[in-house]
């Protein structure tokens, strides 16, 4: 049984951070592949198929082994992944990509907006959809940014993460964010 050093040394009345149950797995190229359980992560490391890229500082112990608690793993060999269907730009996925921040005012976003309005030929695709707050969405209505004199602080694009990783990105560990950047 693997335990952390904190489990062995700390008194039972001291609160400890919970052990993460999931680990982000990256291909050898650095692209996110999927999220694996902690058990699967340990097996991948012990069999030499992956190395620990990022740890939270804690160490897993067994009677014969010590290893850093894996938060992000990278495969030692590149795995060819068949072409995946791209993640569609839904309300949930656009809000995840834009970190629930309004593209126009920077406040909290709870809806999405088409930069080039659909009523004027704009398409429902990643490069034309951004997160927006209700106030800015209503102020913009069916006008273009040029007509309002507004500018976007970034260029919208499709996120890097796949369907597998995208579903869990909302509950992602903070250490995963550099690897799931759009």
């Amino acid at each position: 049984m693997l335990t952390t050093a904190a489990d062995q040394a700390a008194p039972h009345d001291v609160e400890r951070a919970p052990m993460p149950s999931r680990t982000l797995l990256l291909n050898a190229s650095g692209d996110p592949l999927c999220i694996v359980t902690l058990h699967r992560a340990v097996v991948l490391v012990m069999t030499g198929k992956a190395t620990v890229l990022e740890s939270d500082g804690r160490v897993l112990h067994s009677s014969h082994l010590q290893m850093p608690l894996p938060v992000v793993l990278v495969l030692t060999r590149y795995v060819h992944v068949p072409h995946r269907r791209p993640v569609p730009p839904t309300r949930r996925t656009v809000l995840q990509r834009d970190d629930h921040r309004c593209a126009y005012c920077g406040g909290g976003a709870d809806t999405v907006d088409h930069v080039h309005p659909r009523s004027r030929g704009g398409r429902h695709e990643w490069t034309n959809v951004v997160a927006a707050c209700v106030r800015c969405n209503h102020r913009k209505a069916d006008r273009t940014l040029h007509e309002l004199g507004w500018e976007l602080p970034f260029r919208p694009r499709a996120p890097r993460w796949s369907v597998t990783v995208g579903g869990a990105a909302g509950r992602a560990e903070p250490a995963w964010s550099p690897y799931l950047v759009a």
Side-chain angles (χ1 to χ4, degrees):
M1 179 179 149
L2 290 172
T3 59
T4 63
D7 290 336
Q8 295 172 348
H12 293 290
D13 58 336
V14 176
E15 284 193 36
R16 289 170 256 145
M19 193 178 323
S21 60
R22 303 169 310 138
T23 301
L24 177 64
L25 180 63
L26 305 176
N27 207 340
S29 63
D31 294 325
L33 279 180
C34 62
I35 295 166
V36 296
T37 64
L38 180 59
H39 180 268
R40 179 70 179 142
V42 170
V43 169
L44 287 169
V45 172
M46 290 178 62
T47 57
K49 294 179 180 177
T51 57
V52 178
L53 187 62
E54 192 145 339
S55 175
D56 70 352
R58 294 184 282 182
V59 178
L60 295 173
H61 294 273
S62 75
S63 58
H64 301 290
L65 174 75
Q66 286 192 95
M67 70 179 287
L69 184 71
V71 175
V72 179
L73 292 180
V74 62
L75 292 175
T76 54
R77 297 179 68 170
Y78 181 80
V79 175
H80 175 72
V81 181
H83 179 68
R84 293 183 179 163
R85 204 177 82 232
V87 179
T90 63
R91 179 180 173 274
R92 182 179 59 87
T93 57
V94 171
L95 288 171
Q96 282 178 347
R97 179 197 66 186
D98 295 351
D99 199 26
H100 292 268
R101 292 274 147 236
C102 178
Y104 305 121
C105 71
D110 44 10
T111 187
V112 297
D113 182 58
H114 292 86
V115 178
H116 185 81
R118 292 184 82 179
S119 64
R120 296 190 179 189
R123 298 174 55 101
H124 184 72
E125 55 191 23
W126 282 108
T127 57
N128 191 44
V129 182
V130 294
C133 65
V134 173
R135 183 172 177 258
C136 288
N137 200 351
H138 284 159
R139 282 181 60 203
K140 183 177 171 290
D142 67 343
R143 295 178 292 214
T144 65
L145 296 179
H146 179 71
E147 291 172 346
L148 294 167
W150 292 3
E151 287 187 24
L152 282 177
F154 63 93
R155 175 178 234 141
R157 59 183 184 182
R160 242 180 67 183
W161 35 261
S162 67
V163 176
T164 310
V165 177
R171 303 179 316 273
E173 299 286 331
W176 296 356
S177 57
Y179 308 100
L180 298 177
V181 175

